[in-house]
Amino acid sequence: MKTLSAQETLLYMVQRLTAYLEELREARAEGEDFAYGEKTAYTECLELIQLWEGAKENGLDYEIEKKYPL
């Protein structure tokens, strides 16, 4: 795997964490069990990334817990 800049790494993390949360939302909608702890961890990671000065300009311009309620 190639080395990424800090910004590239954060953007990659946002993309992956968001995808994981969407998968959990779909699984719940289909009646499948999902791991509450897993969802909490992904949400907390996104909230930490929101502390980054470039978060809003790079797509994290929303309240994460409103979009992905726990």
Side-chain angles (χ1 to χ4, degrees):
M1 179 179 261
K2 77 173 196 163
T3 303
L4 303 175
S5 69
Q7 181 172 353
E8 290 171 323
T9 301
L10 288 169
L11 292 173
Y12 181 71
M13 288 176 65
V14 168
Q15 186 270 326
R16 294 305 315 141
L17 292 166
T18 302
Y20 297 151
L21 285 164
E22 289 297 330
E23 287 175 12
L24 288 171
R25 183 187 301 185
E26 291 172 16
R28 185 174 189 189
E30 295 173 7
E32 295 178 31
D33 289 331
F34 71 98
Y36 176 78
E38 186 176 7
K39 185 175 183 181
T40 300
Y42 296 150
T43 302
E44 287 180 8
C45 287
L46 286 176
E47 288 173 340
L48 288 172
I49 295 170
Q50 274 189 324
L51 298 173
W52 169 42
E53 62 190 16
K56 286 185 180 180
E57 295 81 23
N58 288 285
L60 280 178
D61 57 347
Y62 57 91
E63 285 190 50
I64 293 164
E65 285 198 39
K66 282 189 178 182
K67 185 170 182 176
Y68 303 107
L70 300 174

